[in-house]
Amino acid sequence: DVVMTQTPVSLPVSLGGQASISCRSSQSLVHSNGNTYLHWYLQKPGQSPQLLIYRVSNRFSGVPDRFSGSGSGTDFTLKISRVEPEDLGDYYCLQSTHFPFTFGSGTKLEIK
Amino acid sequence: EVKLVESGGGLVQPGRSLKLSCAASGFNFNDYWMGWVRQAPGKGLEWIGEINKDSSTINYTPSLKDKFTISRDNAQNTLYLQMSKLGSEDTAIYYCASRPSRYMAYWGQGTLVTVSS
């Protein structure tokens, strides 16, 4: 299985500040069709996960442009600028290039 | 509005079976792959598997393939997860999700399964 290593585990941030979360895969996430299937989710406390970014850098419907995704191959980053209280929660990356699909272990974004 | 509502969770004894349902509305269910993900208490997310539009392709995470069966009824706009030989390690919240293009887009609120004697 592809192992997704997410860092940091915990990320204290100041409101209005910037946050950066890393996700590294144990093998390349470039599919044979040329697409890279790396996605990002936010799970707010007591809620189900919600999709933020799909295929590395595409914001899902309704996601503010404060969220941006980048990366290639095995190394990916989610950046959140101007952090707001509603951004707090657990962030997960997901790879769906290789079966079985696998999630990162999560990053908890919390107030400094 | 896309809506996914899981049901069927609850307390079940070890070794028993349970079938979860996911009722879909607000989108054309027939046009979408669907998937299941679970989350043990206080833990991260685990992908269980997925099913294509006409049930001709079903993929599972290997460790669950012999215990779990995914199916769907397009006439009823409903996704199912049949779970057998349940153990304490299967205690989790189970989420269904729509899968428009090799990622899970919309998720239900989840249903809690507790395996305990």
PDB file of all heavy atoms in Angstrom, chain A residues 72-85:
ATOM      1  N   SER A  72       3.992  17.775  -6.678  1.00  0.00           N
ATOM      2  CA  SER A  72       4.060  16.828  -7.787  1.00  0.00           C
ATOM      3  C   SER A  72       4.790  15.577  -7.337  1.00  0.00           C
ATOM      4  O   SER A  72       5.525  15.614  -6.332  1.00  0.00           O
ATOM      5  CB  SER A  72       4.778  17.455  -8.987  1.00  0.00           C
ATOM      6  OG  SER A  72       6.107  17.765  -8.636  1.00  0.00           O
ATOM      7  N   GLY A  73       4.579  14.489  -8.072  1.00  0.00           N
ATOM      8  CA  GLY A  73       5.307  13.255  -7.797  1.00  0.00           C
ATOM      9  C   GLY A  73       4.969  12.638  -6.450  1.00  0.00           C
ATOM     10  O   GLY A  73       3.978  11.939  -6.316  1.00  0.00           O
ATOM     11  N   THR A  74       5.817  12.920  -5.463  1.00  0.00           N
ATOM     12  CA  THR A  74       5.627  12.353  -4.129  1.00  0.00           C
ATOM     13  C   THR A  74       5.520  13.406  -3.033  1.00  0.00           C
ATOM     14  O   THR A  74       5.401  13.059  -1.851  1.00  0.00           O
ATOM     15  CB  THR A  74       6.804  11.422  -3.761  1.00  0.00           C
ATOM     16  OG1 THR A  74       8.008  12.203  -3.747  1.00  0.00           O
ATOM     17  CG2 THR A  74       6.949  10.279  -4.753  1.00  0.00           C
ATOM     18  N   ASP A  75       5.570  14.660  -3.389  1.00  0.00           N
ATOM     19  CA  ASP A  75       5.679  15.734  -2.407  1.00  0.00           C
ATOM     20  C   ASP A  75       4.611  16.790  -2.643  1.00  0.00           C
ATOM     21  O   ASP A  75       4.613  17.450  -3.696  1.00  0.00           O
ATOM     22  CB  ASP A  75       7.076  16.351  -2.529  1.00  0.00           C
ATOM     23  CG  ASP A  75       7.493  17.072  -1.275  1.00  0.00           C
ATOM     24  OD1 ASP A  75       6.624  17.316  -0.407  1.00  0.00           O
ATOM     25  OD2 ASP A  75       8.683  17.406  -1.147  1.00  0.00           O
ATOM     26  N   PHE A  76       3.737  16.982  -1.658  1.00  0.00           N
ATOM     27  CA  PHE A  76       2.578  17.857  -1.838  1.00  0.00           C
ATOM     28  C   PHE A  76       2.392  18.748  -0.610  1.00  0.00           C
ATOM     29  O   PHE A  76       2.760  18.375   0.507  1.00  0.00           O
ATOM     30  CB  PHE A  76       1.318  17.024  -2.084  1.00  0.00           C
ATOM     31  CG  PHE A  76       1.458  16.104  -3.252  1.00  0.00           C
ATOM     32  CD1 PHE A  76       1.941  14.813  -3.082  1.00  0.00           C
ATOM     33  CD2 PHE A  76       1.157  16.535  -4.533  1.00  0.00           C
ATOM     34  CE1 PHE A  76       2.112  13.961  -4.163  1.00  0.00           C
ATOM     35  CE2 PHE A  76       1.321  15.696  -5.619  1.00  0.00           C
ATOM     36  CZ  PHE A  76       1.803  14.410  -5.439  1.00  0.00           C
ATOM     37  N   THR A  77       1.780  19.917  -0.860  1.00  0.00           N
ATOM     38  CA  THR A  77       1.602  20.900   0.212  1.00  0.00           C
ATOM     39  C   THR A  77       0.224  21.543   0.107  1.00  0.00           C
ATOM     40  O   THR A  77      -0.235  21.882  -0.985  1.00  0.00           O
ATOM     41  CB  THR A  77       2.672  21.999   0.125  1.00  0.00           C
ATOM     42  OG1 THR A  77       3.964  21.399   0.208  1.00  0.00           O
ATOM     43  CG2 THR A  77       2.519  22.994   1.262  1.00  0.00           C
ATOM     44  N   LEU A  78      -0.397  21.717   1.272  1.00  0.00           N
ATOM     45  CA  LEU A  78      -1.611  22.506   1.389  1.00  0.00           C
ATOM     46  C   LEU A  78      -1.259  23.769   2.147  1.00  0.00           C
ATOM     47  O   LEU A  78      -0.670  23.704   3.221  1.00  0.00           O
ATOM     48  CB  LEU A  78      -2.697  21.736   2.132  1.00  0.00           C
ATOM     49  CG  LEU A  78      -3.988  22.515   2.420  1.00  0.00           C
ATOM     50  CD1 LEU A  78      -4.772  22.752   1.139  1.00  0.00           C
ATOM     51  CD2 LEU A  78      -4.856  21.780   3.445  1.00  0.00           C
ATOM     52  N   LYS A  79      -1.604  24.919   1.582  1.00  0.00           N
ATOM     53  CA  LYS A  79      -1.358  26.187   2.261  1.00  0.00           C
ATOM     54  C   LYS A  79      -2.697  26.866   2.573  1.00  0.00           C
ATOM     55  O   LYS A  79      -3.601  26.879   1.731  1.00  0.00           O
ATOM     56  CB  LYS A  79      -0.493  27.109   1.407  1.00  0.00           C
ATOM     57  CG  LYS A  79       0.983  26.734   1.397  1.00  0.00           C
ATOM     58  CD  LYS A  79       1.822  27.795   0.718  1.00  0.00           C
ATOM     59  CE  LYS A  79       3.286  27.670   0.998  1.00  0.00           C
ATOM     60  NZ  LYS A  79       3.898  26.439   0.566  1.00  0.00           N
ATOM     61  N   ILE A  80      -2.758  27.420   3.770  1.00  0.00           N
ATOM     62  CA  ILE A  80      -3.940  28.175   4.180  1.00  0.00           C
ATOM     63  C   ILE A  80      -3.454  29.557   4.575  1.00  0.00           C
ATOM     64  O   ILE A  80      -2.625  29.702   5.486  1.00  0.00           O
ATOM     65  CB  ILE A  80      -4.648  27.519   5.382  1.00  0.00           C
ATOM     66  CG1 ILE A  80      -4.844  26.015   5.138  1.00  0.00           C
ATOM     67  CG2 ILE A  80      -5.985  28.197   5.657  1.00  0.00           C
ATOM     68  CD1 ILE A  80      -5.075  25.220   6.393  1.00  0.00           C
ATOM     69  N   SER A  81      -3.955  30.554   3.898  1.00  0.00           N
ATOM     70  CA  SER A  81      -3.557  31.930   4.238  1.00  0.00           C
ATOM     71  C   SER A  81      -4.694  32.589   5.021  1.00  0.00           C
ATOM     72  O   SER A  81      -5.854  32.186   4.929  1.00  0.00           O
ATOM     73  CB  SER A  81      -3.238  32.718   2.972  1.00  0.00           C
ATOM     74  OG  SER A  81      -4.367  32.755   2.126  1.00  0.00           O
ATOM     75  N   ARG A  82      -4.333  33.596   5.791  1.00  0.00           N
ATOM     76  CA  ARG A  82      -5.331  34.371   6.559  1.00  0.00           C
ATOM     77  C   ARG A  82      -6.264  33.425   7.317  1.00  0.00           C
ATOM     78  O   ARG A  82      -7.485  33.435   7.136  1.00  0.00           O
ATOM     79  CB  ARG A  82      -6.119  35.300   5.647  1.00  0.00           C
ATOM     80  CG  ARG A  82      -5.240  36.227   4.809  1.00  0.00           C
ATOM     81  CD  ARG A  82      -6.052  37.182   3.956  1.00  0.00           C
ATOM     82  NE  ARG A  82      -7.002  36.524   3.078  1.00  0.00           N
ATOM     83  CZ  ARG A  82      -6.718  35.965   1.920  1.00  0.00           C
ATOM     84  NH1 ARG A  82      -5.457  35.964   1.490  1.00  0.00           N
ATOM     85  NH2 ARG A  82      -7.651  35.405   1.170  1.00  0.00           N
ATOM     86  N   VAL A  83      -5.681  32.599   8.168  1.00  0.00           N
ATOM     87  CA  VAL A  83      -6.437  31.567   8.883  1.00  0.00           C
ATOM     88  C   VAL A  83      -7.601  32.182   9.661  1.00  0.00           C
ATOM     89  O   VAL A  83      -7.427  33.176  10.375  1.00  0.00           O
ATOM     90  CB  VAL A  83      -5.516  30.769   9.820  1.00  0.00           C
ATOM     91  CG1 VAL A  83      -6.323  29.857  10.754  1.00  0.00           C
ATOM     92  CG2 VAL A  83      -4.527  29.939   9.003  1.00  0.00           C
ATOM     93  N   GLU A  84      -8.761  31.558   9.512  1.00  0.00           N
ATOM     94  CA  GLU A  84      -9.968  31.995  10.218  1.00  0.00           C
ATOM     95  C   GLU A  84     -10.395  30.910  11.211  1.00  0.00           C
ATOM     96  O   GLU A  84      -9.998  29.749  11.069  1.00  0.00           O
ATOM     97  CB  GLU A  84     -11.086  32.264   9.203  1.00  0.00           C
ATOM     98  CG  GLU A  84     -10.759  33.367   8.218  1.00  0.00           C
ATOM     99  CD  GLU A  84     -11.956  33.718   7.342  1.00  0.00           C
ATOM    100  OE1 GLU A  84     -13.045  33.147   7.542  1.00  0.00           O
ATOM    101  OE2 GLU A  84     -11.775  34.586   6.457  1.00  0.00           O
ATOM    102  N   PRO A  85     -11.223  31.268  12.184  1.00  0.00           N
ATOM    103  CA  PRO A  85     -11.644  30.273  13.185  1.00  0.00           C
ATOM    104  C   PRO A  85     -12.301  29.037  12.560  1.00  0.00           C
ATOM    105  O   PRO A  85     -12.129  27.930  13.050  1.00  0.00           O
ATOM    106  CB  PRO A  85     -12.649  31.061  14.042  1.00  0.00           C
ATOM    107  CG  PRO A  85     -12.238  32.479  13.903  1.00  0.00           C
ATOM    108  CD  PRO A  85     -11.713  32.625  12.505  1.00  0.00           C
TER     109      PRO A  85
END
